[in-house]
Amino acid sequence: MSASSPTHKIAIYPGTFDPITHGHIDVIERASKLFDEVIVTVAQNISKTPIFSANERISIVQEVTKEFKNVKVEKFDGLLVDFAVKNKANAIIRGLRAVSDFEFEFQMALFNRKLKPEIITVFLMPHEKYTYLNSSVVREIAKFGGQIDHFVPPFVEQKLKEKLSKK
Ligand code: COA
């Protein structure tokens, strides 16, 4: 099936991924089973100040998702819906972990729908064992030398240690 075919379903999964966690990977795996192609889109210019550069986050995400053959990773800047249209994506994937995610996600989905009604936001629930996870807590635990192997793959743990030892 060619990538421009209407039956070839492409989804984008946007985020900061600073760093990518098991929770994100769980969502990526679920999305890869639902769509023909998933583009993990790593946000570059965001209000957050990431510990890893955009290029570092991309290569880390590439490494830990390489087992999923229909997943690719790209950097994005600007409006998410513009990136989706440019890449012929039909859907935006977002993970919903808890009720607290809902308000922000609902607002973002409605804004994106207003901007580009043809792009559908799809919410996926990661495994419940990851519902409390987020990247800032992982960074904080790593900063204070705590164990993060339950939250991120060994490759991410290693990169985080290297990064923090330089700071
Ligand atoms: N497992 C673990 N953590 C998860 C998770 C999951 N399944 N899903 C979300 N998170 C965490 C992230 O780690 C992050 O935690 P942190 O804040 O502690 O770092 C938090 O939830 C939210 O992160 P994320 O889902 O990556 O969203 P984001 O806020 O970093 O990125 C963009 C949001 C980039 C997608 C959004 O701002 C955007 O689209 N920007 C482009 C500009 C645009 O189009 N704006 C209009 C949008 S309406």
Side-chain angles (χ1 to χ4, degrees), residues 13-19 21-27 41-48 76-82 94-97 101 104-105 107-112 115 124 126 130-139:
Y13 178 44
T16 311
F17 305 108
D18 187 45
T21 67
H22 283 314
H24 296 122
I25 296 168
D26 180 292
V27 171
T41 51
V42 177
Q44 187 175 21
N45 286 339
I46 32 168
S47 45
K48 295 178 178 177
F76 94 101
D77 210 356
L79 275 185
L80 188 59
V81 286
D82 290 343
R94 294 293 290 170
L96 270 189
R97 292 159 297 171
D101 281 341
F104 174 70
E105 293 301 336
Q107 189 184 37
M108 200 159 82
L110 290 181
F111 267 121
N112 284 331
L115 293 170
L124 296 177
Y130 301 132
T131 47
Y132 61 91
L133 250 186
N134 70 39
S135 299
S136 359
V137 175
V138 170
R139 289 196 305 272

Side-chain angles (χ1 to χ4, degrees), residues 3 8-12 35-39 87-92:
H8 184 90
K9 300 292 183 204
I10 303 174
I12 59 174
F35 290 90
D36 298 301
E37 196 177 328
V38 177
I39 310 174
N87 287 277
K88 299 187 169 56
N90 325 79
I92 294 171

Side-chain angles (χ1 to χ4, degrees):
M1 195 74 61
S2 89
S4 57
S5 153
T7 55
H8 184 90
K9 300 292 183 204
I10 303 174
I12 59 174
Y13 178 44
T16 311
F17 305 108
D18 187 45
I20 187 165
T21 67
H22 283 314
H24 296 122
I25 296 168
D26 180 292
V27 171
I28 292 168
E29 182 174 8
R30 288 172 202 278
S32 77
K33 289 175 182 162
L34 281 177
F35 290 90
D36 298 301
E37 196 177 328
V38 177
I39 310 174
V40 181
T41 51
V42 177
Q44 187 175 21
N45 286 339
I46 32 168
S47 45
K48 295 178 178 177
T49 318
I51 180 169
F52 289 107
S53 70
N55 287 338
E56 286 169 333
R57 283 177 280 133
I58 287 174
S59 58
I60 294 170
V61 177
Q62 273 167 340
E63 176 60 31
V64 299
T65 59
K66 64 181 181 200
E67 71 190 274
F68 309 119
K69 298 302 171 209
N70 59 342
V71 171
K72 65 179 182 182
V73 188
E74 280 181 20
K75 183 155 58 183
F76 94 101
D77 210 356
L79 275 185
L80 188 59
V81 286
D82 290 343
F83 180 92
V85 170
K86 204 169 135 212
N87 287 277
K88 299 187 169 56
N90 325 79
I92 294 171
I93 303 288
R94 294 293 290 170
L96 270 189
R97 292 159 297 171
V99 177
S100 51
D101 281 341
F102 184 76
E103 204 171 332
F104 174 70
E105 293 301 336
F106 184 67
Q107 189 184 37
M108 200 159 82
L110 290 181
F111 267 121
N112 284 331
R113 185 194 280 173
K114 198 79 190 158
L115 293 170
K116 288 277 182 257
E118 66 274 26
I119 313 277
I120 298 167
T121 298
V122 176
F123 294 108
L124 296 177
M125 229 171 42
H127 193 286
E128 59 272 21
K129 67 185 175 193
Y130 301 132
T131 47
Y132 61 91
L133 250 186
N134 70 39
S135 299
S136 359
V137 175
V138 170
R139 289 196 305 272
E140 188 167 284
I141 296 172
K143 201 166 85 186
F144 293 115
Q147 232 184 313
I148 54 166
D149 56 337
H150 292 304
F151 317 129
V152 296
F155 183 78
V156 178
E157 187 181 4
Q158 181 58 35
K159 290 286 166 194
L160 208 44
K161 279 183 182 156
E162 281 168 25
K163 180 59 93 179
L164 292 168
S165 70
K166 287 183 202 144
K167 291 211 168 230

